[in-house]
Amino acid sequence: MTEHTSPPLILASTSPYRRQLLERLRVPFTVIPSDVDESAWPTETPAQLACRLALTKAQAVAKLHPDSIVIGSDQVADLHGDALGKPHTHARAVAQLQRMRGQTVIFQTAVAVVCQARRFAQTELAQVKVQFNQLTDKEIEAYLLAEQPYDCAGSAKSEGLGIALLARIDNDDPTALVGLPLIRTCQLLRAAGFEVL
């Protein structure tokens, strides 16, 4: 790895999936979780929620580290305008997957890059259309017991066994469904003055 002359890079996230994705870029970074209320506002769409939370997470950490470049990200599963977040429990995961079977769900994945010292703050949104199979209750139960995706928006890990739940995925940023759209992340980092390569 070559030595970096860019400002320090911080991932404002507790997600192990986002950390693993960012590691693909082979750049040094630290992880500092943001303490942000992830509740939706009353009239907020799932896309607006994802964008607001990604930017709020990045800004919260950037305030404490103004010379660093901070990445924030958030994902919301969008079922016909209803925001489906992380289920956290088995019962909620069952209910989510029952609602999504046979449906097209849009996974709204936002990434924000903020650097206070450079007065830089931009957000991008990747929208991934996912067609779910017509799942039986037995299939849903078997999947949840095997993978326990209770920390994933929409209760499915496409990078694991969750791929068996799906009929089709349409997107233009392959890592967006996992939780961090790396194409858009690289574009934002370059715009902020960070040397990706």
Side-chain angles (χ1 to χ4, degrees):
M1 187 180 339
T2 59
E3 186 174 330
H4 260 260
T5 58
S6 298
L9 183 63
I10 298 173
L11 177 62
S13 177
T14 57
S15 166
Y17 315 111
R18 290 191 181 105
R19 186 182 68 244
Q20 290 166 3
L21 288 171
L22 190 56
E23 286 172 351
R24 291 187 188 184
L25 299 184
R26 300 182 185 187
V27 294
F29 69 94
T30 56
V31 174
I32 301 176
S34 61
D35 185 21
V36 170
D37 178 4
E38 297 192 14
S39 302
W41 292 348
T43 59
E44 205 167 30
T45 66
Q48 290 168 337
L49 173 61
C51 289
R52 177 178 61 82
L53 290 178
L55 183 59
T56 303
K57 290 173 183 180
Q59 288 172 330
V61 173
K63 283 180 186 175
L64 303 173
H65 303 274
D67 294 323
S68 296
I69 293 178
V70 182
I71 299 169
S73 187
D74 196 77
Q75 183 178 76
V76 178
D78 181 347
L79 178 61
H80 309 305
D82 288 340
L84 304 179
K86 298 171 186 170
H88 299 296
T89 68
H90 183 82
R92 287 185 188 136
V94 169
Q96 281 188 353
L97 289 173
Q98 286 174 338
R99 283 187 67 195
M100 294 188 299
R101 61 181 158 202
Q103 301 295 314
T104 297
V105 179
I106 300 173
F107 284 80
Q108 310 280 4
T109 308
V111 59
V113 171
V114 174
C115 181
Q116 285 200 338
R118 296 178 179 206
R119 295 183 179 175
F120 184 90
Q122 288 186 20
T123 306
E124 290 284 338
L125 179 68
Q127 297 179 311
V128 182
K129 289 184 181 178
V130 176
Q131 175 69 41
F132 278 78
N133 287 317
Q134 191 60 255
L135 305 166
T136 65
D137 288 347
K138 183 179 177 182
E139 288 172 321
I140 289 171
E141 189 68 18
Y143 168 69
L144 292 176
L145 291 176
E147 196 148 70
Q148 301 180 8
Y150 307 129
D151 61 345
C152 296
S155 305
K157 289 184 185 178
S158 65
E159 68 275 25
L161 180 60
I163 200 72
L165 305 174
L166 311 179
R168 183 180 175 92
I169 299 172
D170 291 318
N171 71 63
D172 63 358
D173 203 333
T175 59
L177 188 54
V178 183
L180 184 65
L182 285 180
I183 292 174
R184 286 167 173 82
T185 301
C186 288
Q187 291 168 344
L188 290 176
L189 289 175
R190 287 187 185 102
F194 186 86
E195 297 175 11
V196 178
L197 293 173

